[in-house]
Amino acid sequence: MPQRPLALSAGDPAGVGAEIIAKAWAALRHDGPSFVVVGDAQLLASAGGGVKVRTVTRPQDVAGVFPDALPVIDIPLLSPVVAGQPSPVYAPQVIRWIETGVGLALSGAVSGLVTAPIAKAPLYEAGFKFPGHTEFLAELTMTQAMEGARGPVMMLAAADLRATLVTIHTSIAKVPAALDVESIVNSGLVTAQALRRDFGIAQPRLAIAALNPHAGEGGALGREEIEIITPAVRALQDLGVDCFGPAPADTLFHPEARVRYDGVLCMYHDQALIPVKMLDFWGGVNITLGLPIVRTSPDHGTGFDIAGRGIARPDSLIAAIKLAADIAARRGA
């Protein structure tokens, strides 16, 4: 039986979303995973370089359309779009596109959700109350039960590196106060669970990064390793997770270090994203772990500075689509 299509929410209409979606469809239309876009069909046809678009009402119709046209569940914008100029007037539709994609995934009509990039600032201006995409998806899926530890936990994947985060969109000044044993343990459990279920690693090995330089230097450079991270590592080990740490972050990401683990748990945003983007800037993927649905996204932003110029690269979106399909297939198996 063919795998159900993925849903792809169209992202910020003033960004590069429509362009990279069209390019991803062109690259995948014949032998790649199929998907249906939730967005504005007219915008996708125009901003996508004149790609052939066909509206559908049901994901079941995607298989017959995908080789010849980009299938779209059409939820039109109510205001014209100027490339590169974000606006809060688009926020209701952007939010509805995401909600519709999540609903399709929760219902089982699609096998997972891939989200094109959104800009948070215009959403905040319109009253959006979540720090980002990840937290919004967690809220939308909260009522559906799932086995094991619960997310959201953000993972960034590139080449052989899989890095997850304890704190996500948190100011660096607030990270130390945001860390506690419970959050590190939960993030570690979700990561280990995902490595087994979503990546097919039977006995995952997890590295736990330190917060401070030199892992705190015995407390001289900070006590978080002694009072929070080490107790969390021990708790994870007691719960059956094969892990080690806290390890100094500056020794965790070179090739010889990466062979020692299958995933690394980082304490804050840039601790994970800098090595991922150094390793593969164009092909990194963002995965939300610990949700009852499959969700991936490109590891880049809206690209307002290049929107409308036809030069945006779809590499990360293509990688996100392929990885979502792989994860969905493993969960289905």
Side-chain angles (χ1 to χ4, degrees):
M1 181 179 178
Q3 184 169 318
R4 291 161 294 156
L6 298 161
L8 203 165
S9 58
D12 192 296
V16 297
E19 179 186 342
I20 61 174
I21 289 169
K23 290 177 177 178
W25 169 78
L28 298 171
R29 56 185 291 201
H30 293 304
D31 56 5
S34 64
F35 58 85
V36 58
V37 184
V38 183
D40 184 304
Q42 183 176 352
L43 175 69
L44 286 155
S46 58
V51 65
K52 184 179 179 182
V53 169
R54 188 176 301 169
T55 59
V56 297
T57 57
R58 306 178 309 161
Q60 300 95 301
D61 299 329
V62 169
V65 171
F66 194 76
D68 301 313
L70 176 63
V72 180
I73 295 174
D74 188 26
I75 301 177
L77 293 161
L78 303 180
S79 302
V81 174
V82 178
Q85 296 184 20
S87 170
V89 301
Y90 312 137
Q93 281 70 43
V94 171
I95 291 169
R96 190 177 167 200
W97 295 342
I98 298 167
E99 291 172 336
T100 300
V102 169
L104 291 170
L106 285 172
S107 72
V110 298
S111 59
L113 174 65
V114 181
T115 58
I118 61 172
K120 301 176 187 67
L123 294 182
Y124 296 156
E125 289 184 51
F128 188 69
K129 301 186 183 305
F130 299 90
H133 234 142
T134 300
E135 296 85 354
F136 185 41
L137 292 167
E139 177 69 19
L140 292 175
T141 62
M142 189 60 69
T143 57
Q144 182 154 323
M146 62 174 292
E147 294 182 3
R150 173 80 194 213
V153 171
M154 180 186 288
M155 172 183 279
L156 291 306
D160 64 344
L161 176 59
R162 304 176 192 91
T164 53
L165 300 169
V166 178
T167 64
I168 303 177
H169 299 108
T170 303
S171 161
I172 192 69
K174 297 178 180 178
V175 167
L179 293 175
D180 55 46
V181 173
E182 182 180 6
S183 62
I184 295 172
V185 169
N186 184 72
S187 298
L189 289 173
V190 170
T191 302
Q193 172 183 286
L195 290 171
R196 286 190 297 270
R197 180 181 64 170
D198 295 341
F199 292 89
I201 301 169
Q203 296 180 313
R205 302 161 301 162
L206 190 60
I208 313 295
L211 172 68
N212 295 298
H214 304 178
E217 199 71 72
L221 300 178
R223 296 194 57 82
E224 287 84 3
E225 285 75 18
I226 295 171
E227 297 174 358
I228 299 172
I229 304 176
T230 294
V233 172
R234 290 173 180 161
L236 284 167
Q237 291 169 341
D238 290 343
L239 290 167
V241 177
D242 181 358
C243 63
F244 67 90
D250 62 353
T251 63
L252 270 179
F253 298 106
H254 62 286
E256 291 82 358
R258 297 201 303 271
V259 301
R260 297 175 55 205
Y261 59 78
D262 302 297
V264 55
L265 181 60
C266 299
M267 297 299 114
Y268 58 93
H269 187 274
D270 285 6
Q271 192 177 59
L273 270 76
I274 289 173
V276 166
K277 293 190 176 186
M278 285 289 291
L279 190 61
D280 187 356
F281 183 80
W282 296 110
V285 179
N286 176 5
I287 311 107
T288 305
L289 310 181
L291 299 183
I293 65 170
V294 175
R295 183 264 177 150
T296 67
S297 72
D299 184 22
H300 62 70
T302 52
F304 292 133
D305 57 328
I306 60 170
R309 296 169 57 190
I311 61 174
R313 291 179 55 161
D315 309 47
S316 185
L317 179 60
I318 292 171
I321 292 167
K322 290 181 175 179
L323 184 55
D326 289 344
I327 292 173
R330 288 193 187 98
R331 288 195 187 186

